[in-house]
Amino acid sequence: MWPLKAKDIFCIVYSIQRGLGCSWMDAREVLIVNPTSTNQVDPDFDASNERLNAWYNRNPQDTIIITGFIASTPDNVPTTLKRDGSDFSAAIFGALFQAKQVTIWTDVDGVYSADPRKGTTFFSFLLIKFTNIFSAY
C-alpha cells in the first residue's frame, strides 16, 4: 500500500491533469474474500458489491485509485490475495464495476520510453516526473 502522502499526491496530480475528481480506495474496506483449503481465496462478490456501493455513495468521484493485492475476510481481518494478487484484484474490481475491459500492465523493471515489445529503440527512465507519466494518457 502506498504511504498516505504519495497516494494523495498521485490523486491530486491525476485530478489536475484530467480535470476530474479522484478518490483513493483501500481495497480492504470493500473487497471481501473467503480463505480456501488450498491457501487461496475466493471473492465474495455479493458482500463486496454491497460494500462497493456504500463506499461509492460516500466517495462519488470520476476516478478511483484502488490498492491492489489486499482484501478483508468476512470478519474484517486484512489478508492478501496470494500469488498474482494484484492482477487478481484488478480482475475482481473489473467484475464489480462491470468493466468492459481490464488491462494488466506487465511487470517491468521501471518505466520505459516506449513499449519494449513494439521496437528496439527504448530506454528505462532513471528519474521521471508525475507529469511525464500522465502525458502518455
Side-chain angles (χ1 to χ4, degrees), residues 108-125:
V108 295
D109 298 328
V111 177
Y112 289 100
S113 60
D115 186 341
R117 299 170 299 176
K118 296 183 179 178
T120 58
T121 56
F122 63 90
F123 59 90
S124 177
F125 290 99

Side-chain angles (χ1 to χ4, degrees), residues 5-126:
K5 291 182 181 179
K7 64 98 176 167
D8 289 337
I9 292 169
F10 189 84
C11 278
I12 291 166
V13 171
Y14 189 90
S15 297
I16 290 170
Q17 289 286 317
R18 299 287 174 231
L20 303 172
C22 182
S23 285
W24 177 263
M25 178 194 292
D26 182 337
R28 295 172 295 186
E29 297 176 22
V30 172
L31 187 54
I32 302 301
V33 296
N34 293 297
T36 69
S37 60
T38 60
N39 197 31
Q40 295 297 312
V41 294
D42 285 332
D44 183 333
F45 284 100
D46 291 335
S48 297
N49 198 44
E50 285 180 28
R51 288 185 177 212
L52 176 61
N53 289 331
W55 184 93
Y56 188 77
N57 286 334
R58 293 187 312 272
N59 303 279
Q61 295 294 337
D62 297 312
T63 302
I64 302 169
I65 298 173
I66 306 170
T67 57
F69 190 71
I70 56 175
S72 291
T73 67
D75 296 325
N76 291 317
V77 176
T79 188
T80 65
L81 297 180
K82 315 303 183 217
R83 184 170 171 79
D84 294 321
S86 294
D87 293 355
F88 191 29
S89 59
I92 295 167
F93 275 107
L96 290 172
F97 282 107
Q98 299 178 355
K100 293 179 183 176
Q101 177 179 328
V102 173
T103 302
I104 305 294
W105 290 4
T106 302
D107 297 327
V108 295
D109 298 328
V111 177
Y112 289 100
S113 60
D115 186 341
R117 299 170 299 176
K118 296 183 179 178
T120 58
T121 56
F122 63 90
F123 59 90
S124 177
F125 290 99
L126 296 177

